[in-house]
Amino acid sequence: CVMNTHRFDYFITLARERSFTKAAKQLHITQQTLSNYIAQLEKEIGSTLFVRNIPLKLTYAGSVYLRYALEIHKQMENMQHELDDISHKERGLLKIGIAFSRGHILMPRLITAFQKAHPFIQIQIVETSNELLLTKLLNHEIDLAIANFEEEIPGVTLQDFYDEENVLLISEKLLDDIYGSNKEKILEQVALLGHIHPLKDCPFVLMNSDNIAGRIGRNILNTAGFTADVKVTSDNIETLLSLCIDDCGACFCPELLVRRALSPEVLARLRIIRLGEDAKYKIRFGYAKQNYQWNAIDEFIKIAVESLDDKAL
């Protein structure tokens, strides 16, 4: 690297982790080394940066220093990327943020395609909630996010990736157990009415409300006008899918995950119910606006878009 960034790496990591133990572990140094370094930094600038509580707290001076440290660190990183691009040296760590379930669907295929074309670029996947991805993007903790972003976000460039649709899954056995010979008539009513009120006697397994599928599911249930019998809530869509397959309850889930995660034999045991426009939304790429855009980001987006066809996904 052209410049030594340890000064900022150590401080920024400690500011994020708010723990000498956790930060030292992440930095692969001893806690004493980190403590000595921060003490020396505070001596150099003439201000205390942390209140040594548990967890650590930034002082006002620490907050000011963090703001500048993040900006300087990012500019140094951008400088290195631009110099590498000029000299055609493909190297560096591309940090991509994505939600857990979406990462499971998309990333193996996209990373494989990207690394075939760019074998010397390392990729770090950061899996977290849609809301936290934006925070990590703005804090320069990730270079690129793939998420359900709004149309306009200050400081972030957005690019459409694909349209995602949630569907309702119910096992055929559960439908038979609840509705018996009236099953098909009930499903015809759902299609005719355009909402799921006829399924009011069906139990449900739901994602938590901080997840897109969870919010959409709850909105659709509210629109249907009945209080659902919710058997299980979870942050793990794979767990809920397994419960749905085992006849525990109906599950709202992105169709892409359904098609990729479940075998034809399992799909044959499930009924897929489409939920209309209210269950659709856009997945976009997001990256921070800055003076120089690293080629690796553009290349990953290009390869991901090229891979987006029915057979690829």
Side-chain angles (χ1 to χ4, degrees):
C1 186
V2 174
M3 298 179 68
N4 189 337
T5 63
H6 285 331
R7 179 185 190 95
F8 301 111
D9 288 336
Y10 290 0
F11 173 79
I12 291 169
T13 302
L14 184 58
R16 286 172 176 161
E17 296 296 330
R18 304 299 172 98
S19 162
F20 279 100
T21 302
K22 292 179 181 179
K25 183 177 181 180
Q26 186 171 326
L27 291 163
H28 305 292
I29 59 175
T30 66
Q31 184 175 336
Q32 189 60 50
T33 297
L34 179 58
S35 180
N36 291 341
Y37 188 89
I38 296 299
Q40 182 61 35
L41 176 60
E42 290 176 323
K43 182 178 178 180
E44 287 178 13
I45 66 175
S47 295
T48 299
L49 300 175
F50 293 95
V51 178
R52 265 68 168 178
N53 290 338
I54 300 175
L56 293 172
K57 294 182 179 179
L58 285 168
T59 63
Y60 178 70
S63 297
V64 172
Y65 190 86
L66 178 61
R67 174 160 47 87
Y68 283 100
L70 287 169
E71 185 60 34
I72 294 169
H73 187 274
K74 189 60 183 178
Q75 290 301 321
M76 291 167 64
E77 190 177 66
N78 288 344
M79 177 182 67
Q80 186 64 60
H81 290 157
E82 186 167 3
L83 291 172
D84 287 342
D85 287 345
I86 290 170
S87 60
H88 303 291
K89 293 179 180 178
E90 286 201 338
R91 61 184 181 184
L93 176 65
L94 178 61
K95 292 168 285 188
I96 303 174
I98 193 167
F100 299 102
S101 58
R102 197 168 296 115
H104 174 72
I105 302 169
L106 297 176
M107 295 310 286
R109 184 180 297 273
L110 299 187
I111 289 175
T112 299
F114 178 81
Q115 292 201 318
K116 283 181 180 179
H118 307 280
F120 300 109
I121 299 291
Q122 291 181 299
I123 291 181
Q124 177 184 345
I125 303 174
V126 178
E127 292 182 299
T128 187
S129 67
N130 201 78
E131 289 75 12
L132 285 178
L133 286 175
L134 178 58
T135 300
K136 289 183 177 294
L137 195 62
L138 294 173
N139 288 340
H140 306 302
E141 296 178 59
I142 55 177
D143 302 299
L144 178 67
I146 301 173
N148 170 228
F149 289 125
E150 300 298 331
E151 292 287 348
E152 297 288 339
I153 301 175
V156 175
T157 298
L158 300 177
Q159 182 175 332
D160 288 352
F161 187 13
Y162 69 94
D163 292 325
E164 192 163 86
E165 178 179 358
N166 269 255
V167 294
L168 182 63
L169 294 181
I170 311 177
S171 75
E172 295 285 359
K173 183 178 184 304
L174 182 60
L175 287 169
D176 287 333
D177 290 344
I178 297 172
Y179 301 109
S181 60
N182 288 325
K183 177 178 74 172
E184 294 303 330
K185 183 183 293 185
I186 292 292
L187 294 173
E188 287 174 8
Q189 289 177 4
V190 170
L192 181 64
L193 294 172
H195 59 70
I196 63 170
H197 187 272
L199 296 172
K200 62 184 184 299
D201 295 324
C202 185
F204 289 81
V205 294
L206 297 180
M207 291 289 287
N208 289 322
S209 57
D210 57 351
N211 181 279
I212 299 172
R215 288 198 299 273
I216 285 177
R218 284 167 173 79
N219 289 338
I220 288 171
L221 289 170
N222 288 337
T223 301
F226 65 90
T227 301
D229 177 15
V230 179
K231 297 296 188 183
V232 181
T233 61
S234 174
D235 285 322
N236 190 316
I237 190 63
E238 284 83 4
T239 298
L240 296 180
L241 273 177
S242 295
L243 290 169
C244 179
I245 293 165
D246 289 341
D247 316 314
C248 181
C251 177
F252 297 96
C253 180
E255 185 181 20
L256 193 60
L257 176 58
V258 173
R259 300 296 183 187
R260 287 297 307 276
L262 304 183
S263 68
E265 292 76 19
V266 172
L267 282 172
R269 293 160 45 196
L270 300 172
R271 187 67 63 103
I272 298 176
I273 299 173
R274 297 197 175 277
L275 302 166
E277 293 301 316
D278 290 341
K280 298 177 182 179
Y281 47 89
K282 287 190 177 296
I283 299 301
R284 294 182 169 93
F285 299 105
Y287 49 90
K289 294 179 181 177
Q290 47 201 14
N291 293 333
Y292 181 76
Q293 177 70 25
W294 186 20
N295 283 350
I297 296 174
D298 291 332
E299 281 297 302
F300 186 90
I301 292 174
K302 176 185 174 184
I303 288 172
V305 171
E306 289 173 350
S307 299
L308 189 64
D309 59 60
D310 291 339
K311 291 182 180 180
L313 294 177

